[in-house]
Amino acid sequence: MAAMASLLLLALPAGAKASSAPTSLLFQNDGNWTAHGERPSALLVHTPAGRRQAETVCAEYEEQLLRCDDVHHFRQSFQYQQYLGTLTNDTLLWTACSTPVTLSGTSATDNVSSDGEWPFVCTNSAPLVDRVDTDYSSFPRVNVTAGNITFEGLRDHLTFRFAGIPFAQPPIGTRRFQYAEAWDATNVSYVNATQYSPACLQFGYFDGNSYDLNPWGNDENCLYLNVYTPFLPGDTDVPEDQLKPVLFWIHGGGFSQGTGSDLTFDGGSLTSRSDVVIVTSNYRLNIFGYLSLDDGTIPGNYWMSDNIAALRWVQQYIRGFGGNPNNVTIFGQSAGGANCIELVASPQAAGLFQGSIQQSAGNGRFSTQSAIAELAEPYLSPYCNETGAARLACLQRLPSSVLLNASADIFFTPVIDPVYLPDAPMALVAQGSSYINSVRMMSTLMPEECQSLTTTTLAPNMTDFQTALDLLIPGGWIDQEQADHIIPSGLWLISNETFHNGSTSYSSVYNASVKIATENNQECPNGAYAMVGAATVAFPSMHVAYHQRGYALSYYDFYDLCTFPVGKPDTPYYRCHSSDLYEVFGTYYIYDQPIRVPEDIYYTNAVQDMWGSFARTGDPNVAREYLIARGYNTTLEFFAGWRWPEFTASNMVLADLQYPRPGYTDVPDLEHCRYLASVQY
């Protein structure tokens, strides 16, 4: 018995606990985020052992065999493991029951030897991560071994988490304004992955912790990632079909702010619901990630080299965390979704992922090296007026705060460059699949993206349409030519009447202005990207959708118009930019957000199930057999009589996602899009 226990446990730093046997964290996530902490979770150790051996291993986890009275909570989880093929129909499990139990949770009655060896189930008493400033010091420790390196992480109520893992050399000193260098693990045998890393340098919501969103601080040395997984493979050579699909998240923030450690993107809910491995990563922002001086020495696109370095880390190490390196889907929202579009277009990212989900991304965002240089040079020349290598050396010596402050007014974007982004992404898509990383594609939008993107630029009670349009110009939502021609075109009318002559009526100046900005910056570019991709068959498959339901982030709800009150779903509200993030990640509970109506739960369930299905198979239509195996009845109802259609040149149909009844819609208003394109500069 002692020998078996020693085989199941690895030599770890003090306090760390881990099993060398494959171990799954079981939690039947029904989506009710207010009750996550009340529902039990457990640890399924897949390697058979005798009962006393099982008790010893559970005790090493500072747990015990699952109480007999709690077995019924995990019947569905056991049956899902059978669906996966990790347990066979005749497998028995050791729990605290006097005899082994079947996968249906009943005691075995057929002359079962008390000396038999079976997989076993331990309790999981680890706490729920339900606040941003969680103190992780008392959480149970676990480890994995990947690439001969031991990564020590944490076990919580919903997932195994590994935080603050370096994936590149620190981008400081002479590495500033240089492409990311791969993490040098030559002399590394152990990584402490129990604490989130600082966010990259920035202004805004994640500059320090003034918004209670970033207790980890900020630093130029910020190239770290986090891994959330429901499964630890241990020392076993797990077959590839038992590894989990990987979802690699790229955060948004206008290329200037944000962090992969934002707990809006905490992986606990999505990993437990969708049985996927999630990786969230930092990348350099603002001047540090995007500066280009068009001189052959400072080319830009350092942010992209960071994401690619992180994806290469995934290829090298993620198998040790239970993830399948051959089934990676990148996904991102806003600037993160635009970054996905650029990665699809980058030859440097070839072979690193098999799918892409772009949320509120338009058709990417990019500029030229010369344009960024023209913006930046006046701000930098007072500090460094040399050229070439001498200017680079000078910029590398400057305090990071000087660079950040000096460039605060510059809007940085990705740039076209011969190494990372050889042309505009849509221009490459237009040439066909051989000119891009041709991967399965999914794209989603919110109907009123620019209500929140324009913040308080517009007032809901505005009555002068032209004044509203003029206010959209400084932020780049429309240009002067568009502002001058929109009202005379007659395509956007302020009226309560319905028109059938191509005009669209809006009940208020505010609604019309929000929609125009949304069309110009999100709907029209997104629709063009999808239609060009379909016309050239650039991707193996494409699925495009609108979310018709939204839930505003707790700190990103201007005028309190991006949600509806509890119990009042008929209250008009805007489905705003970023109001899909809680729905994808299910992290309402970390920010104390209430359930407005039960349909919030069911819609979130369906979204997480579709994202997980796309990660597994490239198809967001969730397999009925999978939903039955998991007991996901509300999503079964969601798909009753409906399928998300593939977007093709002959069938340009978008899914309208809503609960209880999803539907279909056409591409955005093409007449509006054509007109906006025809009159812009």
Side-chain angles (χ1 to χ4, degrees):
M1 289 182 290
M4 178 64 184
S6 65
L7 283 174
L8 287 172
L9 297 170
L10 295 173
L12 301 174
K17 302 287 192 299
S19 171
S20 64
T23 303
S24 297
L25 196 154
L26 306 182
F27 180 79
Q28 187 64 18
N29 186 345
D30 67 355
N32 180 358
W33 65 83
T34 64
H36 281 344
E38 301 165 13
R39 297 182 68 87
S41 63
L43 304 171
L44 170 63
V45 181
H46 292 264
T47 298
R51 181 188 176 95
R52 290 187 179 179
Q53 298 165 337
E55 290 174 341
T56 300
V57 172
C58 289
E60 292 287 347
Y61 274 117
E62 298 181 356
E63 302 289 353
Q64 56 191 352
L65 285 173
L66 183 70
R67 290 176 60 244
C68 200
D69 290 345
D70 288 334
V71 170
H72 71 280
H73 291 294
F74 297 95
R75 291 172 183 163
Q76 199 72 57
S77 296
F78 299 156
Q79 291 174 26
Y80 174 58
Q81 293 296 321
Q82 181 184 352
Y83 168 84
L84 291 176
T86 62
L87 301 176
T88 60
N89 186 47
D90 58 357
T91 298
L92 300 179
L93 300 169
W94 284 118
T95 66
C97 298
S98 57
T99 60
V101 299
T102 66
L103 298 188
S104 62
T106 60
S107 295
T109 57
D110 296 335
N111 297 325
V112 176
S113 170
S114 59
D115 295 326
E117 294 189 345
W118 303 103
F120 54 95
V121 187
C122 306
T123 57
N124 179 27
S125 61
L128 177 70
V129 175
D130 59 359
R131 52 187 299 155
V132 173
D133 60 348
T134 295
D135 179 0
Y136 295 100
S137 61
S138 63
F139 278 60
R141 306 300 173 95
V142 297
N143 86 315
V144 301
T145 299
N148 297 317
I149 299 171
T150 296
F151 295 86
E152 181 184 352
L154 302 165
R155 167 167 49 93
D156 63 60
H157 194 64
L158 301 181
T159 191
F160 301 107
R161 67 179 61 219
F162 298 81
I165 299 173
F167 65 84
Q169 293 298 97
I172 57 178
T174 57
R175 295 192 187 94
R176 180 188 286 171
F177 303 131
Q178 298 288 298
Y179 296 138
E181 295 181 18
W183 178 45
D184 183 1
T186 304
N187 298 311
V188 177
S189 61
Y190 165 76
V191 171
N192 185 335
T194 63
Q195 181 64 49
Y196 288 103
S197 67
C200 294
L201 296 176
Q202 59 192 279
F203 295 114
Y205 292 114
F206 297 92
D207 177 13
N209 198 33
S210 58
Y211 289 87
D212 296 324
L213 298 172
N214 179 28
W216 309 287
N218 302 81
D219 200 291
E220 190 175 2
N221 177 9
C222 61
L223 298 186
Y224 298 86
L225 57 77
N226 314 302
V227 179
Y228 304 86
T229 178
F231 173 65
L232 301 180
D235 288 345
T236 305
D237 186 14
V238 176
E240 185 168 300
D241 62 2
Q242 296 300 323
L243 296 172
K244 310 301 180 184
V246 178
L247 280 165
F248 181 94
W249 176 252
I250 304 174
H251 70 79
F255 312 114
S256 64
Q257 59 178 302
T259 173
S261 298
D262 177 356
L263 287 200
T264 304
F265 321 131
D266 184 89
S269 174
L270 186 53
T271 57
S272 60
R273 177 76 191 186
S274 298
D275 199 25
V276 294
V277 172
I278 295 173
V279 179
T280 67
S281 179
N282 285 346
Y283 57 94
R284 282 173 283 180
L285 303 167
N286 46 68
I287 189 170
F288 300 100
Y290 294 85
L291 176 66
S292 174
L293 294 179
D294 194 27
D295 59 358
T297 302
I298 301 177
N301 285 340
Y302 310 115
W303 69 272
M304 189 184 293
S305 74
D306 298 342
N307 280 322
I308 289 173
L311 285 164
R312 287 174 176 156
W313 183 96
V314 167
Q315 290 298 306
Q316 186 170 358
Y317 295 104
I318 204 64
R319 180 180 287 269
F321 296 81
N324 184 351
N326 297 316
N327 190 8
V328 177
T329 296
I330 59 174
F331 71 137
Q333 183 263 353
S334 192
N339 287 351
C340 289
I341 289 174
E342 272 96 48
L343 285 167
V344 166
S346 176
Q348 298 296 322
L352 297 178
F353 54 93
Q354 289 68 47
S356 179
I357 302 174
Q358 295 143 200
Q359 301 171 210
S360 303
N363 61 8
R365 193 71 179 258
F366 58 90
S367 186
T368 63
Q369 292 175 314
S370 60
I372 296 296
E374 185 178 347
L375 289 172
E377 283 179 329
Y379 293 92
L380 300 179
S381 58
Y383 302 97
C384 300
N385 59 6
E386 304 93 331
T387 60
R391 178 166 55 179
L392 172 61
C394 174
L395 292 171
Q396 289 173 335
R397 289 192 299 268
L398 284 177
S400 58
S401 59
V402 170
L403 287 168
L404 186 64
N405 290 321
S407 61
D409 294 332
I410 302 173
F411 181 66
F412 289 99
T413 67
V415 294
I416 305 300
D417 86 276
V419 177
Y420 279 91
L421 192 60
D423 202 346
M426 198 158 71
L428 294 170
V429 170
Q431 297 177 70
S433 60
S434 61
Y435 289 84
I436 60 170
N437 300 311
S438 182
V439 299
R440 55 211 190 197
M441 180 68 64
M442 192 167 102
S443 178
T444 62
L445 289 168
M446 309 304 297
E448 294 92 29
E449 299 269 5
C450 282
Q451 192 282 341
S452 51
L453 281 171
T454 56
T455 65
T456 56
T457 299
L458 305 173
N461 61 355
M462 294 188 76
T463 57
D464 190 300
F465 198 2
Q466 189 61 54
T467 298
L469 295 174
D470 291 341
L471 287 172
L472 293 174
I473 296 171
W477 306 112
I478 59 175
D479 64 30
Q480 185 67 60
E481 285 293 309
Q482 291 170 322
D484 291 343
H485 286 82
I486 283 171
I487 294 176
S489 75
L491 293 173
W492 295 266
L493 299 177
I494 312 303
S495 173
N496 290 319
E497 297 181 40
T498 300
F499 299 90
H500 302 284
N501 60 353
S503 300
T504 305
S505 60
Y506 299 89
S507 61
S508 70
V509 166
Y510 186 72
N511 286 350
S513 303
V514 165
K515 192 60 176 179
I516 288 166
T518 298
E519 288 174 333
N520 200 44
N521 288 272
Q522 290 283 346
E523 290 182 338
C524 298
N526 181 274
Y529 186 87
M531 287 187 286
V532 169
T536 60
V537 196
F539 306 104
S541 64
M542 295 183 68
H543 292 83
V544 188
Y546 274 103
H547 288 277
Q548 295 298 342
R549 192 179 197 87
Y551 198 122
L553 297 182
S554 62
Y555 61 93
Y556 196 65
D557 186 6
F558 300 97
Y559 305 118
D560 296 323
L561 292 175
C562 293
T563 191
F564 59 81
V566 173
K568 298 180 179 180
D570 295 329
T571 304
Y573 75 107
Y574 298 96
R575 286 71 50 92
C576 300
H577 193 69
S578 298
S579 62
D580 56 338
L581 293 176
Y582 286 154
E583 296 166 342
V584 170
F585 285 93
T587 49
Y588 310 86
Y589 58 96
I590 295 178
Y591 298 91
D592 296 322
Q593 298 301 296
I595 296 170
R596 301 173 300 186
V597 289
E599 287 77 11
D600 285 339
I601 296 173
Y602 311 146
Y603 186 71
T604 299
N605 287 347
V607 168
Q608 291 190 326
D609 295 341
M610 288 185 286
W611 266 236
S613 177
F614 185 84
R616 282 190 300 277
T617 68
D619 186 349
N621 294 288
V622 193
R624 178 176 174 82
E625 297 77 11
Y626 169 88
L627 294 172
I628 292 172
R630 301 220 68 176
Y632 288 171
N633 295 327
T634 62
T635 303
L636 277 168
E637 295 171 8
F638 178 86
F639 277 102
W642 181 86
R643 283 185 63 81
W644 184 338
E646 189 173 333
F647 189 95
T648 65
S650 61
N651 189 40
M652 293 186 181
V653 176
L654 286 71
D656 249 349
L657 303 180
Q658 178 60 289
Y659 199 94
R661 288 273 69 85
Y664 308 98
T665 191
D666 296 326
V667 292
D669 193 317
L670 292 181
E671 188 169 1
H672 283 194
C673 293
R674 292 190 190 102
Y675 190 80
L676 288 170
S678 70
V679 298
Q680 71 183 31
Y681 283 125

